[in-house]
Amino acid sequence: MKRQKTTGIIVLLAVLVCVLAVGTWYFRKQRSEKVSATEGQTETQQSETTDELERLLWNKIKLNGKKYKYSTDYETYLVMGTDGSGKEDADRDEYIGNMADFLMLVIVNRKEQTYAFLQLNRDTMTEINLIGRNGKGMATADMQLCTAHWYGGTPEESCENTVKAVSRMLGGVKINGYYAINMEDIGKLNHAIGGVTVTIDSDFGDVDPTLKKGETVTLSDEQAYNFLRYRQGIDDSENTSRMKRHRQYMQAFMVKLKEKIHDDPSIGAEIYEQMSEVAVTDMNGGVLTDILTDMQQAANRGTFELEGTTKLGQHLDDGLEHTEFYLDKMAIVKTLKDLYNM
């Protein structure tokens, strides 16, 4: 009996040795074949392999005639808040997109655990694709960035046209996704987070007497809309002044959101669901929740702006003068270098 047991052990060991030997031989053979295949590549094939590796590691942009590259570890998302000037509920034959009043890029680097914001002036003059209601068209014109959302036959096409305009304006920066809501629904977003707390730095006068300069308040849904939407009759009535309130609200919103996620990690998905009926996005709830969760532990690098010059002009060709913001091209390069570590 003991002899049989010993024999069984010897047989088992022999089988294991054979398996290991065969496995080692197969592994070396595969590795040898891969090396031989690489060595046997033509210069064209090796160049294609290098190009593919470059695409995996780097995104490339071109500004002022110069080429730059930045790591694909950076993900960029465009957040938009639109007005009610269009006819977005209409079918293609009568569709007109709204204007994008609020435009902000969220730049996330999950590897480095950082994120930053780049706020864009709606009046920035840039090249806009004048696509038709069928979603097609090659003509372009220099117009305010906010007008890119006019064009298209659906809200999705309007958002995609805005993404294209922003990317082109920044030399081809890759935008990984977009999220848009109408400013009319800002109260719904404010409600989902339980109200955002801000200090009122502007005189809202007759626009909303409950928003008193100098007071710190947790905004009601109606107050949040008034705080973010209106500009006429507040401060100098300029969009740049409203942009300051947008930044103020966004920063306070992120603080509140982080607190919420800390207490309940599922809150991101819940807010996504609550806003899904009114939001237009190419990101699903899982992607958005992952981004928000990663931002929870990440360092906020701050909110950036692009420098430029404001003047009045008639590029809209409606016989009226409108605010036009012209970017400082060198400032774009400097800002993107800071944002993407180029």
Side-chain angles (χ1 to χ4, degrees):
M1 185 73 176
K2 185 177 181 180
R3 184 177 179 182
Q4 290 177 343
K5 184 176 181 181
T6 302
T7 302
I9 292 173
I10 292 172
V11 171
L12 179 61
L13 288 173
V15 171
L16 288 174
V17 169
C18 289
V19 170
L20 288 172
V22 172
T24 302
W25 170 83
Y26 180 76
F27 172 76
R28 287 176 177 172
K29 181 175 181 292
Q30 291 291 99
R31 185 174 63 179
S32 177
E33 288 176 352
K34 288 180 180 178
V35 170
S36 298
T38 302
E39 291 175 348
Q41 282 185 337
T42 65
E43 291 185 8
T44 300
Q45 289 172 325
Q46 290 176 356
S47 177
E48 289 174 351
T49 301
T50 301
D51 290 344
E52 179 62 25
L53 187 60
E54 279 278 305
R55 283 192 290 270
L56 290 173
L57 295 176
W58 303 100
N59 288 321
K60 298 179 180 179
I61 63 174
K62 186 175 182 180
L63 291 165
N64 303 337
K66 293 184 179 181
K67 295 180 180 179
Y68 303 87
K69 63 182 182 179
Y70 64 95
S71 171
T72 53
D73 289 332
Y74 288 97
E75 299 171 18
T76 304
Y77 301 93
L78 178 60
V79 180
M80 292 170 269
T82 62
D83 65 13
S85 61
K87 296 170 63 177
E88 291 199 344
D89 293 332
D91 58 22
R92 279 189 178 275
D93 292 337
E94 298 183 359
Y95 175 88
I96 301 174
N98 296 317
M99 284 196 291
D101 274 350
F102 173 80
L103 296 133
M104 181 174 283
L105 290 177
V106 183
I107 298 100
V108 181
N109 189 319
R110 305 194 201 196
K111 184 177 180 180
E112 295 182 355
Q113 292 191 307
T114 63
Y115 66 92
F117 303 106
L118 175 61
Q119 189 177 23
L120 304 172
N121 190 325
R122 72 187 289 276
D123 297 321
T124 303
M125 299 300 294
T126 191
E127 187 177 359
I128 303 295
N129 279 68
L130 310 180
I131 63 175
R133 289 168 177 160
N134 60 356
K136 300 178 181 179
M138 298 298 292
T140 65
D142 287 336
M143 300 169 66
Q144 284 91 339
L145 177 59
C146 61
T147 64
H149 203 273
W150 273 349
Y151 297 98
T154 67
E156 289 78 13
E157 289 176 358
S158 290
C159 287
E160 290 163 6
N161 200 45
T162 307
V163 166
K164 184 179 294 185
V166 171
S167 176
R168 178 192 287 136
M169 183 178 76
L170 301 180
V173 162
K174 181 178 179 180
I175 297 178
N176 301 85
Y178 65 81
Y179 188 91
I181 65 170
N182 192 289
M183 297 302 283
E184 294 283 348
D185 296 309
I186 199 67
K188 188 177 181 71
L189 180 64
N190 187 74
H191 186 80
I193 201 72
V196 171
T197 302
V198 297
T199 298
I200 309 302
D201 295 325
S202 302
D203 182 2
F204 278 79
D206 296 331
V207 173
D208 188 341
T210 67
L211 296 174
K212 298 179 180 179
K213 189 173 183 178
E215 291 189 356
T216 298
V217 298
T218 298
L219 298 171
S220 69
D221 300 343
E222 182 179 356
Q223 286 175 324
Y225 173 80
N226 294 338
F227 183 79
L228 294 170
R229 179 70 183 90
Y230 289 108
R231 63 187 176 97
Q232 298 297 334
I234 303 171
D235 298 326
D236 57 6
S237 299
E238 293 294 333
N239 180 58
T240 49
S241 297
R242 181 174 58 179
M243 286 173 65
K244 293 179 182 178
R245 296 197 297 277
H246 287 169
R247 288 195 299 275
Q248 185 182 2
Y249 184 89
M250 190 74 174
Q251 291 162 359
F253 181 90
M254 289 305 301
V255 170
K256 187 70 173 286
L257 181 60
K258 281 193 169 189
E259 293 173 355
K260 290 281 188 179
I261 292 177
H262 181 270
D263 296 335
D264 180 7
S266 67
I267 192 66
E270 292 177 11
I271 293 175
Y272 179 90
E273 285 299 320
Q274 291 179 43
M275 299 301 296
S276 61
E277 292 183 1
V278 295
V280 180
T281 182
D282 60 353
M283 297 184 288
N284 62 41
V287 171
L288 194 59
T289 300
D290 285 346
I291 295 169
L292 293 175
T293 301
D294 289 343
M295 290 172 71
Q296 173 71 11
Q297 303 299 326
N300 183 355
R301 297 173 56 210
T303 302
F304 294 70
E305 292 181 80
L306 296 173
E307 297 178 4
T309 304
T310 299
K311 67 178 185 179
L312 294 176
Q314 296 186 353
H315 275 77
L316 289 184
D317 199 26
D318 60 359
L320 302 174
E321 288 192 328
H322 299 275
T323 302
E324 298 176 354
F325 183 72
Y326 291 85
L327 291 175
D328 181 327
K329 293 184 178 180
M330 293 309 298
I332 298 176
V333 176
K334 181 182 182 303
T335 302
L336 293 189
K337 281 185 175 180
D338 290 340
L339 278 170
Y340 292 100
N341 194 28
M342 296 192 307

